[in-house]
Amino acid sequence: MTLPDTPLSPAGTDRTFQVDLRGLVDLLSHHLYSSPRVYLRELLQNAVDALTARHGLEPAAPADAFGIRLYANGSAVRVEDDGVGLTEADVHTFLATIGRSSKRAEKIAEQRGDFIGQFGIGLLSCFLVADEIHVLSRSARTPDAPAVEWRGRGDGSYTVRTLPASARSRPGTTVTLTPRADAGEWTRPAQVHALARHFGSLLRHPVTFDDGTGGPGVPVNPEPAPWARTYPTPGARSRALAAYGEEVFGFTPLDTIELDLPAVGLKGIACVLPEAVPAGRRHGHRVHVKGMLLSEQAEEILPEWAFFVRCVVDAESLRPTASRESLYEDDTLAAVRDALAERLRAWIARAAASDPDLLARFLQAHHLAVKSLAVHDDEILRMLLPWLPFETTDGHSTLDEFARTHRTVLVTSSVEEFRQVAAIASAAGLGVVNGGYTYDRQLVHRLPEIRPEVSVADLDPATLTAHLDPVDRETELAAAAYLALARDALAVFDCDVALRTFQPASAPALLVDSREARHERTRSQLAREQEGGLWGDILGSLRQEAPRAQLILNQRNPLVRTAVAIDEPELARTSAEALYGQAALLSRRPLRPAESSLINRSFLDLLAHALRKDS
């Protein structure tokens, strides 16, 4: 197949991309910005950067000499600043070229760290709520500079014209938006004021709002950040920071931690949550950059283990992403995260050293967070491990309290194993810790590093059964026939049966069976079923002597004493199956289908026997 001739452009001819502005705005609204409300943040941000440049031109001017004024009356939104302004050349260069930033002009790029904006696309966000943007600006760089007017429309067209200097009496820029009919949610006066407070409450330049009703402008940011104010006493400062944290996050902090990293110009507070949160759940943090709110969900500012705090910070040197709604992951952010983590560790250390009541309340709520930290942080481990709560055979207890009465600490590998043995071990005087929860077993095994006089070992069935008292020879001989029938009935479960005496007497039987033992028996069973095949050969190569479960009957229990005296073989087998089923239920582990069937069958058989006896 041949292609038709197509006229070619001359070699080397440059072409210009044709930009569909409405399509670009739609892309920004769906994939870059989280909400149309960001238009006001972008306008404020441009105004703040213009004021920063103006102060660069006039460094002797007072800090509050130049400001920002917002107007909204329902039919228009206007942002006016006393910043550096634009010349006609600036307007053509920066307002008519998508993606170029005016901060690159006249060596301002060398001062990029002084500016919030980085990407030069902020003005496009205004098309999320308006079809036309009107800009009136006068440059402060030239005393007699004329005013310049720029009108941009959503279809991609724009006009520029020069006006007499009297069109704007002083340097600066005014941006006016005529809202679209469907944008009323974001451009009503009350909403504009709320957005200005939301984004700009910590800005360092004065910002006022006027709703067009004739009253005086309302300050948007009347006070500096709470950590930047002076207070008469340390107590007053602490209360003010806590009140600010409650205002921002909606909870009364357990405590507030001041954050101060001069190297990156970061200040703020971390508020300790008063209640526990699910493990691994990360909260968003409020991050301001040079006073402008960047994000309310900045998880990346703190390490994962710090889910017991929420923080609000204002930084100078953190780098925002293109949307300016999150932080760019770079070496600076990594260093800041490490430094803030160190501040949290230092707070925990101070509480441990000087405020035991605060430490107790903190650990009661957030012991899991501290355990996750202690696993990887030797300093926190040494400081707090003895005070962390664990589930033990003495109830919930700190390791320090537990080790005072148990010089040998035994730890289970799972929650179900602990529940199997807790009552028996406690009655036998054994000190057992539930190691089945996240981090617990690993941490308990490190206790001798802090308390050398204490030894720690994993609990195994032999350790427990060794502490159960044997019965006398006559009693064991009398029960031999019953035990033989019981072993035969439970052979299908690879379960041995023994008779012992132990406390509490209310427990008729104890099923000693670890998860590893059950897995090994399952593997052995599979190997037998697959004998001769490839899979059978693989399993056979791993074959070990399958460990057996053990049902230990309690001679102290009246029901057991009655059962071992049964002389009817079928009833004896049924009673042994019932005792096994009851012990399996008490272990709280998942039942196998055969065990569920045995429990149902033994119950019905015993019920039938009782009914026959009564009839």
Side-chain angles (χ1 to χ4, degrees), residues 566-581:
I566 296 174
D567 55 6
E568 298 179 38
E570 287 304 316
L571 181 58
R573 289 177 63 92
T574 300
S575 67
E577 291 173 343
L579 288 169
Y580 176 89

Side-chain angles (χ1 to χ4, degrees), residues 101-402:
S101 171
S102 61
K103 270 73 77 175
R104 293 185 176 89
E106 301 187 20
K107 298 184 180 180
I108 292 181
E110 298 176 4
Q111 310 164 20
R112 179 66 63 84
D114 295 335
F115 298 92
I116 303 172
Q118 300 277 325
F119 299 91
I121 58 176
L123 197 62
L124 286 180
S125 66
C126 295
F127 285 119
L128 300 175
V129 298
D131 279 327
E132 182 175 280
I133 304 171
H134 176 251
V135 178
L136 182 63
S137 187
R138 181 179 171 190
S139 177
R141 301 179 188 282
T142 305
D144 56 350
V148 182
E149 180 190 63
W150 179 88
R151 289 183 183 272
R153 289 168 285 277
D155 60 6
S157 63
Y158 70 93
T159 59
V160 179
R161 62 173 179 158
T162 301
L163 303 177
S166 58
R168 181 177 172 90
S169 59
R170 54 186 181 181
T173 300
T174 301
V175 180
T176 304
L177 310 180
T178 302
R180 293 199 310 270
D182 61 353
E185 177 184 359
W186 305 109
T187 56
R188 291 192 303 270
Q191 181 67 289
V192 173
H193 185 210
L195 290 176
R197 286 279 302 161
H198 181 71
F199 289 117
S201 62
L202 299 186
L203 288 175
R204 292 82 182 267
H205 303 284
V207 183
T208 59
F209 172 76
D210 185 348
D211 62 3
T213 58
V218 179
V220 168
N221 53 342
E223 294 183 297
W227 47 81
R229 304 172 201 165
T230 57
Y231 299 91
T233 64
R237 181 179 184 86
S238 178
R239 289 189 293 273
L241 294 179
Y244 180 73
E246 184 172 5
E247 176 187 346
V248 170
F249 296 122
F251 63 82
T252 302
L254 185 66
D255 197 14
T256 55
I257 308 166
E258 288 206 54
L259 306 174
D260 186 4
L261 302 179
V264 291
L266 183 146
K267 290 181 178 292
I269 58 171
C271 297
V272 182
L273 290 156
E275 298 177 349
V277 295
R281 177 182 172 185
R282 300 187 67 185
H283 289 290
H285 307 287
R286 288 176 65 95
V287 175
H288 299 250
V289 174
K290 302 177 181 68
M292 182 69 70
L293 178 64
L294 180 79
S295 174
E296 297 174 273
Q297 300 297 327
E299 296 180 353
E300 61 274 13
I301 195 72
L302 288 181
E304 290 186 5
W305 55 260
F307 52 81
F308 57 88
V309 297
R310 295 190 70 182
C311 68
V312 51
V313 299
D314 185 21
E316 295 287 335
S317 301
L318 293 179
R319 180 182 172 190
T321 60
S323 66
R324 291 187 282 274
E325 295 186 332
S326 59
L327 295 170
Y328 187 81
E329 189 69 46
D330 58 10
D331 291 343
T332 300
L333 179 58
V336 166
R337 185 164 49 239
D338 290 343
L340 292 180
E342 187 57 37
R343 298 297 187 276
L344 299 184
R345 290 189 186 94
W347 174 82
I348 295 174
R350 286 196 302 273
S354 61
D355 197 337
D357 290 338
L358 174 61
L359 180 67
R361 285 183 283 126
F362 170 67
L363 291 179
Q364 183 178 11
H366 300 295
H367 58 271
L368 185 57
V370 178
K371 286 179 180 179
S372 69
L373 176 58
V375 167
H376 306 291
D377 191 307
D378 290 344
E379 182 180 353
I380 293 296
L381 179 80
R382 288 191 297 272
M383 221 171 7
L384 294 183
L385 180 59
W387 315 111
L388 290 173
F390 290 82
E391 186 179 8
T392 75
T393 46
D394 291 351
H396 282 84
S397 171
T398 67
L399 286 186
D400 192 63
E401 294 170 338
F402 195 65

Side-chain angles (χ1 to χ4, degrees), residues 39-100:
Y39 83 92
L40 192 68
R41 182 196 67 194
E42 298 294 334
L43 290 177
L44 282 173
Q45 187 166 283
N46 287 342
V48 170
D49 285 343
L51 290 177
T52 300
R54 180 76 181 272
H55 277 289
L57 286 177
E58 304 176 38
D64 59 352
F66 311 124
I68 302 170
R69 295 165 292 283
L70 304 178
Y71 303 86
N73 58 10
S75 59
V77 175
R78 189 164 74 249
V79 179
E80 180 180 306
D81 68 67
D82 301 319
V84 70
L86 300 170
T87 64
E88 182 178 359
D90 293 335
V91 168
H92 281 291
T93 301
F94 302 116
L95 297 189
T97 305
I98 294 174
R100 185 173 295 177

